[in-house]
Amino acid sequence: MEEFLRALPKSELHVHIEGTLEPELAFSLAEKHGIRLPYADVNALRAAYDFSDLQSFLDIYYAGAGVLRDAADFHALTRAYMERAHADGIVHTEIFFDPQTHTARGVPLASVLEGIGDALREARAQNGTTHRLILCFLRHLSAEDAMHTLDEALQLKAGIAGVGLDSSELGHPPSKFATVFERARAQGLLAVAHAGEEGPPGYVSETLDLLRVRRIDHGVRSEEDPALMERLVRERIPLTVCPLSNVRLQIFSDMGQHNLKRLLERGVCVTVNSDDPAYFGGYLLDNFRAVTDALQLSRAQVVTLARNSIEASFLDDPSKHRWLQQIDALAARPPA
Ligand code: ADE
Ligand code: ZN
């Protein structure tokens, strides 16, 4: 199964570039900029990755992002992720970034975009990995701040394909960002949003109705609402599920309790993703391996997950068709 998982062409649709910051790179950037991290070494920092909920993770994640200061830092971060992605058999990736985390510290949005963009273009030239970039608004900040960020990105002609919504979910309903998303969509941007991770299924419905998103990020709590489940299946709305993240943030007590297999068997278009791999113990292949082992997924179910990742992506139809054919050809070969 291991080699089959790796060889399957896959796309990753839910990864925060700031969440790919490995402790080794964090320490080397801290040294470069003369920043003292409040941890003795890489091991002490890793040991602090013991989360009780989403907020306990976000506190460490935003503090970690403080070492990212110039375009070269964002370039190094993104290159490292793209190398891992290629090694895991990822052929296409849709990357989130959180501009407000950086602009609030005085890092220009143009530097963030330059570093990430250069690394993405290099990866495409070297390995053929394609990408889309998705600008996420931080939902714990105001809608005015989000609108300002959107305007700045539009002025810079930032090369972004879409907008997303992340950070602390509870207490920050999607309705808060309806106007911002309306403007983004009117400017031709695609929309996705985190919902139903810690928040109730009502936030997923509201996200679909008010933000008109093409996918829901996480969405695992949708299972609590039968009418919503029917809607997700009927309207074929993808959920970008992040198994290791959900266990590390205690949404599920262990991987055996994860609902990914049930969602799949109910006919929801679920995909597997890594979210913040440097913090949650693994990249995309680690996530595939973890769910395949704990939930005893069949080969056919793994193939469906890979197909869903292509279908739910923002690739054009001919590219989707090409990758789906390659997946089907691989699936048709007898197991080694
Ligand atoms: N930002 C980075 N990872 C996140 C997650 N899992 N949920 C919400 N916001 C995030
Ligand atoms: Zn996320």
Side-chain angles (χ1 to χ4, degrees), residues 54 99 110 112 117 146 152 203 227 229 252 263 271 281 306-307 317 320 334:
L54 175 58
V112 178
E152 199 183 345
Y203 277 21
M229 286 290 285
F252 297 97
L263 294 169
T271 67
R307 294 186 105 261
D317 285 341
K320 286 187 186 182

Side-chain angles (χ1 to χ4, degrees), residues 33-295:
H33 295 296
I35 301 168
R36 240 187 74 81
L37 293 176
Y39 301 94
D41 56 24
V42 163
N43 292 330
L45 178 52
R46 261 208 185 92
Y49 297 172
D50 181 20
F51 311 116
S52 52
D53 57 12
L54 175 58
Q55 195 59 51
S56 65
F57 154 69
L58 290 171
D59 292 343
I60 288 198
Y61 163 82
Y62 293 131
V67 301
L68 300 163
R69 300 246 162 136
D70 59 31
D73 302 344
F74 286 94
H75 181 262
L77 179 73
T78 309
R79 269 211 66 120
Y81 165 70
M82 293 305 283
E83 273 161 30
R84 273 307 290 253
H86 181 59
D88 277 4
I90 293 175
V91 297
H92 174 75
T93 181
E94 305 196 352
I95 293 180
F96 296 141
F97 73 113
D98 288 340
Q100 290 154 296
T101 307
H102 313 301
T103 52
R105 299 180 288 115
V107 179
L109 180 55
S111 303
V112 178
L113 288 165
E114 179 192 332
I116 297 175
D118 283 352
L120 291 176
R121 286 183 284 275
E122 285 161 19
R124 187 172 52 203
Q126 279 170 13
N127 301 321
T129 316
T130 52
H131 62 264
R132 299 285 184 275
L133 193 54
I134 300 177
L135 180 159
C136 280
F137 304 115
L138 298 181
R139 65 200 305 158
H140 67 273
L141 300 179
S142 69
E144 291 70 34
D145 204 296
M147 191 67 97
H148 176 76
T149 303
L150 174 62
D151 285 336
E152 199 183 345
L154 290 171
Q155 264 167 26
L156 284 172
K157 300 210 182 322
I160 58 170
V163 293
L165 186 62
D166 64 3
S167 192
S168 326
E169 187 180 10
L170 292 170
H172 300 285
S175 53
K176 182 173 160 186
F177 296 94
T179 311
V180 182
F181 270 64
E182 197 178 320
R183 171 152 165 72
R185 283 186 288 98
Q187 293 293 318
L189 296 173
L190 301 163
V192 299
H194 284 52
E197 178 186 19
E198 278 191 341
Y203 277 21
V204 177
S205 306
E206 207 181 282
T207 300
L208 295 171
D209 293 336
L210 299 183
L211 306 187
R212 310 270 196 88
V213 297
R214 307 273 291 255
R215 303 191 290 252
I216 294 286
D217 297 313
H218 293 294
V220 288
R221 288 198 57 195
S222 304
E223 200 185 25
E224 296 167 30
D225 178 346
L228 173 60
M229 286 290 285
E230 275 174 31
R231 179 180 185 184
L232 295 177
V233 174
R234 191 176 59 244
E235 297 182 16
R236 200 138 181 87
I237 297 156
L239 303 184
T240 64
V241 174
C242 307
L244 285 171
S245 163
N246 292 155
V247 173
R248 292 296 283 268
L249 299 186
Q250 309 202 22
I251 312 288
F252 297 97
S253 56
D254 62 68
M255 199 57 86
Q257 301 300 314
H258 201 288
N259 65 2
L260 177 110
K261 186 174 178 173
R262 289 199 300 273
L263 294 169
L264 198 57
E265 289 176 343
R266 285 287 311 275
V268 181
C269 180
V270 282
T271 67
V272 171
N273 306 272
S274 70
D275 205 8
D276 302 283
Y279 292 89
F280 298 146
Y283 287 77
L284 188 65
L285 210 49
D286 301 307
N287 274 273
F288 264 95
R289 215 180 278 120
V291 284
T292 303
D293 290 352
L295 304 175

